[in-house]
Amino acid sequence: MKSLCNKAEQEYIKQGKNYWESYEEISLQTDIILKREKWQQGAIPREFEHNLAFLYARAFLYALDAFDKFLGVLSREENVPEVISELHKKISDIFPDIRGVRNTAQHLEDRSRGLGAGKNPKPLDLKPIDNSFISAPNGGALVLNSLNGSKYGSTMADGHYGEVDVCPESMSHLQEILNNILGSFKWRGPKQHKPSV
C-alpha cells in the first residue's frame, strides 16, 4: 500500500501539484489501484459477500411464493384430489407472511417511500415491532430487506412486520407438501427415480 501511495505521490509531484492539496485525490487513486489488484487476484468485495445471504433469501422467498401460487391454481382445477386444497392452505398456515413479504420485496419503490399497495397506495401506518432484532413498541419503524438470523423480513403493505424463515425446516415442510401432492394423484407409466445423477 505504501509503495502504491509513493507512486501516486511522485506522479502528482511530476505534474507540479502540491502533495497536501492533492492528498485526498492521491488517497483515492491509491485505493482504486489497490482494490483493482485485489479483485484481479480473485478477492470479492465485502459488500458482495454480505449481500449473498440476502440474494439467497429472496430467491427462496420468490420460489416459495411461486410454489404457493401454482398450488393455488392447481387446487381450483377439475378432477384434482381434494387434499390439494388442504395442502395449499397448509402453506398459508406455515408461512402466513409469505405474500406480504414477497410483495414488499417486489415493490420496494413503494415501501421505501412509506406507501402501501394498490393503484393509489396510501401511506403506511407502521405497526409495533418487537423481536430479537428490532424493538419499536410504538411503531414507526420501516423495515426493508432484513435478515434476522434465518428469517427474511420486511414491513408489509398493511404496516405490519412480516417474516419468512429461510431454513432447513422450511424446506422440509415444502418437501412434505410436495410429496403429499405427488402422492395424491394416480400416476400411469413406468416407474422412474428422479432427479438424475
Side-chain angles (χ1 to χ4, degrees):
M1 175 84 168
K2 195 168 186 171
S3 64
L4 283 176
C5 198
N6 287 339
K7 239 189 230 185
E9 287 173 25
Q10 290 169 4
E11 188 62 37
Y12 274 81
I13 290 168
K14 277 184 194 174
Q15 294 174 14
K17 296 179 181 176
N18 181 308
Y19 169 78
W20 294 110
E21 290 174 4
S22 304
Y23 176 76
E24 285 183 13
E25 187 62 29
I26 291 169
S27 179
L28 175 64
Q29 291 305 316
T30 303
D31 195 35
I32 291 170
I33 292 167
L34 177 69
K35 286 179 183 176
R36 286 183 176 158
E37 283 180 7
K38 295 251 185 214
W39 295 338
Q40 285 178 342
Q41 294 168 3
I44 298 173
R46 278 190 309 262
E47 297 87 350
F48 291 5
E49 285 188 1
H50 174 76
N51 280 315
L52 276 176
F54 292 90
L55 291 171
Y56 293 139
R58 277 194 303 277
F60 181 84
L61 173 69
Y62 289 147
L64 178 61
D65 181 64
F67 182 86
D68 179 49
K69 285 178 180 170
F70 274 112
L71 189 54
V73 169
L74 182 62
S75 71
R76 293 185 295 275
E77 290 292 311
E78 288 182 30
N79 303 319
V80 170
E82 287 181 31
V83 72
I84 300 297
S85 292
E86 294 167 24
L87 292 169
H88 182 238
K89 184 183 177 326
K90 190 172 182 179
I91 291 177
S92 298
D93 294 341
I94 296 169
F95 306 103
D97 297 332
I98 181 177
R99 191 64 28 89
V101 173
R102 199 280 319 174
N103 287 346
T104 291
Q106 192 67 34
H107 298 286
L108 283 174
E109 75 284 357
D110 288 333
R111 296 310 172 276
S112 65
R113 294 180 296 149
L115 299 174
K119 226 175 190 186
N120 297 311
K122 304 267 187 279
L124 289 172
D125 176 18
L126 298 171
K127 307 296 186 215
I129 305 171
D130 191 16
N131 60 32
S132 62
F133 185 56
I134 301 164
S135 179
N138 298 320
L142 176 64
V143 182
L144 303 172
N145 198 34
S146 164
L147 269 176
N148 180 13
S150 64
K151 295 178 180 167
Y152 180 80
S154 60
T155 300
M156 301 181 291
D158 67 358
H160 286 93
Y161 175 75
E163 293 178 325
V164 173
D165 203 358
V166 181
C167 65
E169 291 79 18
S170 293
M171 201 59 161
S172 290
H173 288 305
L174 280 176
Q175 182 180 17
E176 179 187 338
I177 290 169
L178 178 59
N179 283 337
N180 287 334
I181 291 166
L182 295 174
S184 70
F185 287 92
K186 292 184 178 160
W187 297 92
R188 286 185 277 177
K191 290 183 180 181
Q192 297 180 15
H193 186 265
K194 297 284 183 179
S196 59
V197 180

